[in-house]
Amino acid sequence: MTEARGSDGPNRAGRAGRTPGTPCWVSLMVHSLAATEEFYGALFGWELEPGPRQLGPCVRALLDGQEVAGIGQLPPDRDLPVAWTPYLASDDVDRTADTVRLCGGTVGVGPLDAAESGRLALASDPSGAVFGIWQAAQHVGATVTGVPGTPAWNELLTFETVTVAKFYATLFAYEQEPAVSAELDYVTLHLAGSPVIGIHGLGRGLPRERGPHWMTYFEVADTDEALRRVLGLGGRVLTPARDSERGRVATVEDPEGARFSVIQRGR
Protein backbone atom coordinates (compact mmCIF):
# COMPACT_ATOMS: atom_id res chain seq x y z
CA MET A 1 0.00 0.00 0.00
CA THR A 2 1.17 3.50 -0.75
CA GLU A 3 -0.48 6.89 -0.82
CA ALA A 4 -1.00 9.84 -3.08
CA ARG A 5 0.18 12.62 -0.81
CA GLY A 6 2.88 13.38 1.65
CA SER A 7 2.38 13.05 5.42
CA ASP A 8 3.24 16.64 6.27
CA GLY A 9 -0.11 17.70 7.68
CA PRO A 10 -3.62 18.46 6.52
CA ASN A 11 -4.41 19.32 2.95
CA ARG A 12 -7.57 21.34 2.41
CA ALA A 13 -8.84 20.86 -1.12
CA GLY A 14 -9.91 23.82 -3.19
CA ARG A 15 -13.27 24.15 -4.92
CA ALA A 16 -11.88 23.53 -8.39
CA GLY A 17 -12.71 20.27 -10.13
CA ARG A 18 -10.45 17.29 -9.54
CA THR A 19 -8.34 15.70 -12.27
CA PRO A 20 -10.44 12.90 -13.84
CA GLY A 21 -9.63 9.61 -12.15
CA THR A 22 -8.72 11.15 -8.79
CA PRO A 23 -10.44 9.48 -5.83
CA CYS A 24 -12.58 12.32 -4.49
CA TRP A 25 -15.09 10.77 -2.08
CA VAL A 26 -15.98 7.59 -0.21
CA SER A 27 -19.45 6.50 0.81
CA LEU A 28 -21.11 3.71 2.74
CA MET A 29 -24.66 2.37 2.39
CA VAL A 30 -25.99 0.67 5.54
CA HIS A 31 -29.16 -0.79 7.04
CA SER A 32 -29.04 1.18 10.31
CA LEU A 33 -28.01 4.75 9.68
CA ALA A 34 -28.25 5.88 13.32
CA ALA A 35 -26.11 3.02 14.66
CA THR A 36 -23.50 3.56 11.94
CA GLU A 37 -23.32 7.28 12.69
CA GLU A 38 -22.67 6.42 16.33
CA PHE A 39 -19.91 3.94 15.46
CA TYR A 40 -17.93 6.18 13.11
CA GLY A 41 -18.58 9.33 15.11
CA ALA A 42 -17.00 7.68 18.16
CA LEU A 43 -14.19 6.06 16.17
CA PHE A 44 -13.07 9.01 14.05
CA GLY A 45 -14.59 12.02 15.80
CA TRP A 46 -16.84 12.73 12.83
CA GLU A 47 -19.65 15.24 13.02
CA LEU A 48 -22.65 14.09 10.97
CA GLU A 49 -25.06 16.39 9.16
CA PRO A 50 -27.92 15.61 6.74
CA GLY A 51 -27.03 15.28 3.05
CA PRO A 52 -29.06 15.40 -0.18
CA ARG A 53 -32.10 13.09 0.07
CA GLN A 54 -32.60 12.25 -3.61
CA LEU A 55 -31.22 8.75 -2.96
CA GLY A 56 -32.84 8.36 0.45
CA PRO A 57 -31.74 9.24 4.01
CA CYS A 58 -28.04 10.08 4.17
CA VAL A 59 -25.51 12.11 6.11
CA ARG A 60 -22.17 13.70 5.41
CA ALA A 61 -19.29 13.22 7.83
CA LEU A 62 -17.25 16.30 8.74
CA LEU A 63 -14.10 17.10 10.68
CA ASP A 64 -13.90 20.71 11.89
CA GLY A 65 -16.56 21.60 9.35
CA GLN A 66 -14.70 19.99 6.43
CA GLU A 67 -16.39 17.18 4.47
CA VAL A 68 -14.80 13.74 4.70
CA ALA A 69 -17.23 10.98 3.66
CA GLY A 70 -20.87 10.06 3.14
CA ILE A 71 -23.16 7.47 4.75
CA GLY A 72 -26.58 6.51 3.38
CA GLN A 73 -29.37 4.15 4.35
CA LEU A 74 -30.28 1.17 2.19
CA PRO A 75 -33.94 0.69 1.32
CA PRO A 76 -35.52 -1.93 3.63
CA ASP A 77 -36.17 -4.30 0.72
CA ARG A 78 -32.61 -4.22 -0.64
CA ASP A 79 -30.24 -6.88 0.68
CA LEU A 80 -27.02 -5.44 -0.73
CA PRO A 81 -23.42 -5.85 0.51
CA VAL A 82 -22.41 -3.20 3.04
CA ALA A 83 -19.08 -1.81 1.84
CA TRP A 84 -17.13 1.42 1.54
CA THR A 85 -17.18 2.65 -2.06
CA PRO A 86 -14.67 5.11 -3.56
CA TYR A 87 -15.82 7.69 -6.11
CA LEU A 88 -13.51 8.67 -8.97
CA ALA A 89 -13.73 12.20 -10.35
CA SER A 90 -14.99 12.69 -13.90
CA ASP A 91 -15.60 15.81 -16.00
CA ASP A 92 -18.39 13.96 -17.86
CA VAL A 93 -20.03 11.13 -15.94
CA ASP A 94 -22.23 10.10 -18.88
CA ARG A 95 -19.23 9.66 -21.15
CA THR A 96 -17.32 7.77 -18.45
CA ALA A 97 -20.32 5.48 -17.91
CA ASP A 98 -20.44 4.75 -21.64
CA THR A 99 -16.74 3.84 -21.54
CA VAL A 100 -17.35 1.52 -18.59
CA ARG A 101 -19.88 -0.40 -20.67
CA LEU A 102 -17.69 -0.48 -23.76
CA CYS A 103 -14.78 -1.88 -21.73
CA GLY A 104 -16.73 -4.75 -20.19
CA GLY A 105 -17.92 -3.12 -16.98
CA THR A 106 -21.47 -2.57 -15.76
CA VAL A 107 -23.33 0.59 -14.76
CA GLY A 108 -25.76 -0.31 -11.99
CA VAL A 109 -27.05 3.13 -10.96
CA GLY A 110 -27.32 6.32 -13.01
CA PRO A 111 -25.97 8.47 -14.36
CA LEU A 112 -28.26 10.74 -12.37
CA ASP A 113 -28.22 14.15 -10.73
CA ALA A 114 -27.78 14.57 -6.97
CA ALA A 115 -29.61 17.90 -6.71
CA GLU A 116 -27.13 20.76 -7.08
CA SER A 117 -24.27 18.71 -5.66
CA GLY A 118 -23.24 16.97 -8.87
CA ARG A 119 -23.93 14.00 -11.11
CA LEU A 120 -23.06 10.40 -10.29
CA ALA A 121 -23.08 6.80 -11.40
CA LEU A 122 -22.32 3.53 -9.65
CA ALA A 123 -20.48 0.97 -11.74
CA SER A 124 -18.58 -2.27 -11.46
CA ASP A 125 -15.40 -3.23 -13.27
CA PRO A 126 -15.12 -6.48 -15.28
CA SER A 127 -14.14 -8.40 -12.14
CA GLY A 128 -17.26 -7.18 -10.29
CA ALA A 129 -15.75 -4.59 -7.94
CA VAL A 130 -18.12 -1.65 -7.38
CA PHE A 131 -16.95 1.96 -7.61
CA GLY A 132 -18.55 5.36 -8.04
CA ILE A 133 -18.10 8.08 -10.66
CA TRP A 134 -18.60 11.69 -9.59
CA GLN A 135 -19.00 14.81 -11.72
CA ALA A 136 -18.79 17.73 -9.32
CA ALA A 137 -21.03 20.77 -9.23
CA GLN A 138 -21.44 22.35 -5.80
CA HIS A 139 -19.95 19.31 -4.04
CA VAL A 140 -16.38 18.53 -5.12
CA GLY A 141 -15.92 15.69 -2.64
CA ALA A 142 -13.73 15.46 0.44
CA THR A 143 -12.30 18.84 1.40
CA VAL A 144 -9.63 17.76 3.89
CA THR A 145 -7.01 14.99 3.91
CA GLY A 146 -3.91 14.19 5.89
CA VAL A 147 -5.41 14.22 9.40
CA PRO A 148 -6.84 11.40 11.53
CA GLY A 149 -10.32 10.42 10.40
CA THR A 150 -9.77 11.12 6.70
CA PRO A 151 -9.36 8.66 3.82
CA ALA A 152 -5.66 8.09 3.12
CA TRP A 153 -5.71 5.60 0.23
CA ASN A 154 -7.99 3.39 -1.87
CA GLU A 155 -6.89 -0.05 -2.98
CA LEU A 156 -8.64 -2.57 -5.21
CA LEU A 157 -8.36 -6.18 -4.06
CA THR A 158 -8.93 -8.43 -7.06
CA PHE A 159 -7.84 -11.71 -8.68
CA GLU A 160 -5.13 -10.29 -10.98
CA THR A 161 -3.96 -6.83 -11.95
CA VAL A 162 -3.27 -6.90 -15.69
CA THR A 163 -6.81 -6.95 -17.07
CA VAL A 164 -8.32 -4.74 -14.37
CA ALA A 165 -5.53 -2.16 -14.52
CA LYS A 166 -6.05 -1.90 -18.28
CA PHE A 167 -9.78 -1.27 -17.70
CA TYR A 168 -9.18 1.62 -15.30
CA ALA A 169 -6.37 3.06 -17.42
CA THR A 170 -8.76 3.16 -20.37
CA LEU A 171 -11.32 5.06 -18.29
CA PHE A 172 -8.96 7.72 -16.95
CA ALA A 173 -5.58 7.48 -18.70
CA TYR A 174 -3.70 6.42 -15.59
CA GLU A 175 -0.01 5.66 -15.81
CA GLN A 176 0.74 2.16 -14.48
CA GLU A 177 3.62 1.24 -12.18
CA PRO A 178 3.81 -2.52 -11.53
CA ALA A 179 5.59 -3.70 -8.39
CA VAL A 180 9.15 -4.85 -8.99
CA SER A 181 8.64 -8.28 -7.45
CA ALA A 182 7.92 -11.71 -8.86
CA GLU A 183 6.05 -12.59 -5.65
CA LEU A 184 3.73 -9.55 -5.51
CA ASP A 185 1.03 -8.79 -8.08
CA TYR A 186 0.54 -5.08 -7.43
CA VAL A 187 0.07 -2.08 -9.70
CA THR A 188 0.00 1.56 -8.64
CA LEU A 189 -1.97 3.92 -10.86
CA HIS A 190 -0.61 7.46 -11.25
CA LEU A 191 -2.00 10.77 -12.45
CA ALA A 192 0.44 13.54 -13.37
CA GLY A 193 3.24 11.57 -11.75
CA SER A 194 1.49 11.08 -8.39
CA PRO A 195 0.16 7.73 -7.10
CA VAL A 196 -3.62 7.78 -6.62
CA ILE A 197 -4.84 4.15 -6.54
CA GLY A 198 -3.45 0.70 -5.81
CA ILE A 199 -4.53 -2.60 -7.39
CA HIS A 200 -3.57 -5.77 -5.54
CA GLY A 201 -3.95 -9.13 -7.29
CA LEU A 202 -4.51 -11.82 -4.67
CA GLY A 203 -5.38 -14.80 -6.87
CA ARG A 204 -6.78 -17.60 -4.74
CA GLY A 205 -6.02 -15.52 -1.65
CA LEU A 206 -8.97 -13.25 -2.40
CA PRO A 207 -11.70 -13.86 0.21
CA ARG A 208 -14.26 -16.06 -1.54
CA GLU A 209 -17.20 -14.57 0.35
CA ARG A 210 -16.29 -11.03 -0.70
CA GLY A 211 -15.00 -11.31 -4.25
CA PRO A 212 -13.13 -8.36 -5.82
CA HIS A 213 -13.71 -5.22 -3.78
CA TRP A 214 -12.25 -1.86 -2.82
CA MET A 215 -10.51 -1.22 0.49
CA THR A 216 -10.44 2.30 1.92
CA TYR A 217 -7.65 3.21 4.34
CA PHE A 218 -8.47 5.80 6.99
CA GLU A 219 -5.76 7.72 8.78
CA VAL A 220 -5.59 7.42 12.57
CA ALA A 221 -3.32 8.91 15.23
CA ASP A 222 -2.72 5.54 16.92
CA THR A 223 -3.57 2.25 15.21
CA ASP A 224 -3.57 0.18 18.40
CA GLU A 225 -5.91 2.62 20.13
CA ALA A 226 -8.15 2.63 17.05
CA LEU A 227 -8.43 -1.18 17.24
CA ARG A 228 -9.43 -0.98 20.90
CA ARG A 229 -12.13 1.52 19.96
CA VAL A 230 -13.38 -0.67 17.10
CA LEU A 231 -13.79 -3.61 19.46
CA GLY A 232 -15.42 -1.47 22.16
CA LEU A 233 -17.91 -0.14 19.62
CA GLY A 234 -18.98 -3.59 18.43
CA GLY A 235 -16.69 -4.01 15.41
CA ARG A 236 -14.15 -6.72 14.64
CA VAL A 237 -10.41 -6.80 13.97
CA LEU A 238 -9.76 -8.87 10.83
CA THR A 239 -6.00 -8.49 10.57
CA PRO A 240 -3.97 -7.34 13.59
CA ALA A 241 -1.82 -4.23 13.55
CA ARG A 242 1.50 -4.57 11.75
CA ASP A 243 4.29 -2.17 10.94
CA SER A 244 4.87 -1.53 7.24
CA GLU A 245 7.10 0.85 5.34
CA ARG A 246 4.17 3.29 5.17
CA GLY A 247 2.98 3.06 8.77
CA ARG A 248 1.18 0.84 11.23
CA VAL A 249 -1.77 -0.81 9.48
CA ALA A 250 -4.71 -3.04 10.42
CA THR A 251 -7.95 -4.16 8.77
CA VAL A 252 -11.24 -4.06 10.64
CA GLU A 253 -14.98 -4.49 10.16
CA ASP A 254 -17.78 -2.30 11.47
CA PRO A 255 -20.87 -3.81 13.18
CA GLU A 256 -22.71 -4.16 9.83
CA GLY A 257 -19.76 -5.88 8.15
CA ALA A 258 -18.19 -3.03 6.16
CA ARG A 259 -14.44 -3.62 5.96
CA PHE A 260 -11.82 -0.89 6.01
CA SER A 261 -8.22 -0.38 7.05
CA VAL A 262 -6.66 2.07 9.46
CA ILE A 263 -3.15 3.44 9.13
CA GLN A 264 -0.94 5.38 11.51
CA ARG A 265 1.78 7.04 9.46
CA GLY A 266 5.37 7.50 10.44
CA ARG A 267 5.90 4.08 12.03
Side-chain angles (χ1 to χ4, degrees):
M1 159 284 161
T2 182
E3 68 274 333
R5 51 151 216 96
S7 54
D8 53 354
N11 173 29
R12 297 184 182 274
R15 303 304 295 177
R18 307 281 172 80
T19 301
T22 304
C24 60
W25 190 244
V26 291
S27 72
L28 175 65
M29 297 295 291
V30 299
H31 299 285
S32 176
L33 184 57
T36 303
E37 288 184 57
E38 183 177 349
F39 174 85
Y40 286 100
L43 178 60
F44 292 138
W46 287 350
E47 310 137 21
L48 290 307
E49 67 174 23
R53 297 182 64 89
Q54 280 74 15
L55 302 178
C58 67
V59 294
R60 285 179 179 168
L62 297 89
L63 284 172
D64 296 325
Q66 299 292 315
E67 294 179 344
V68 174
I71 304 174
Q73 184 165 308
L74 287 165
D77 59 342
R78 300 295 295 275
D79 186 20
L80 298 174
V82 176
W84 281 100
T85 301
Y87 280 74
L88 307 178
S90 171
D91 55 11
D92 187 333
V93 70
D94 295 82
R95 184 177 62 197
T96 302
D98 287 342
T99 306
V100 167
R101 299 185 186 98
L102 289 171
C103 293
T106 302
V107 178
V109 177
L112 54 84
D113 292 325
E116 294 80 23
S117 297
R119 189 163 172 79
L120 67 87
L122 282 172
S124 56
D125 65 31
S127 74
V130 176
F131 64 100
I133 308 164
W134 182 254
Q135 180 180 343
Q138 292 184 3
H139 176 64
V140 299
T143 54
V144 61
T145 61
V147 296
T150 61
W153 183 247
N154 289 286
E155 188 169 274
L156 174 60
L157 306 180
T158 188
F159 294 109
E160 54 82 26
T161 62
V162 174
T163 302
V164 179
K166 182 178 180 180
F167 168 83
Y168 286 99
T170 302
L171 289 186
F172 295 113
Y174 296 114
E175 303 161 3
Q176 302 181 42
E177 181 188 3
V180 184
S181 170
E183 300 176 354
L184 179 63
D185 184 14
Y186 196 98
V187 174
T188 304
L189 302 182
H190 294 246
L191 287 172
S194 296
V196 292
I197 286 172
I199 302 177
H200 193 177
L202 295 174
R204 294 183 179 179
L206 189 71
R208 183 174 300 178
E209 75 280 7
R210 304 290 291 193
H213 63 281
W214 285 89
M215 177 70 69
T216 296
Y217 288 73
F218 289 95
E219 187 154 341
V220 294
D222 185 320
T223 295
D224 297 277
E225 173 59 25
L227 298 189
R228 286 190 286 270
R229 289 189 185 183
V230 166
L231 293 172
L233 293 166
R236 297 173 56 210
V237 175
L238 301 178
T239 61
R242 64 178 179 85
D243 291 319
S244 72
E245 63 180 12
R246 299 296 179 179
R248 189 159 176 79
V249 183
T251 301
V252 301
E253 187 175 79
D254 72 17
E256 284 208 18
R259 299 181 177 186
F260 60 98
S261 292
V262 292
I263 179 167
Q264 172 188 354
R265 300 181 193 265
R267 290 290 297 259

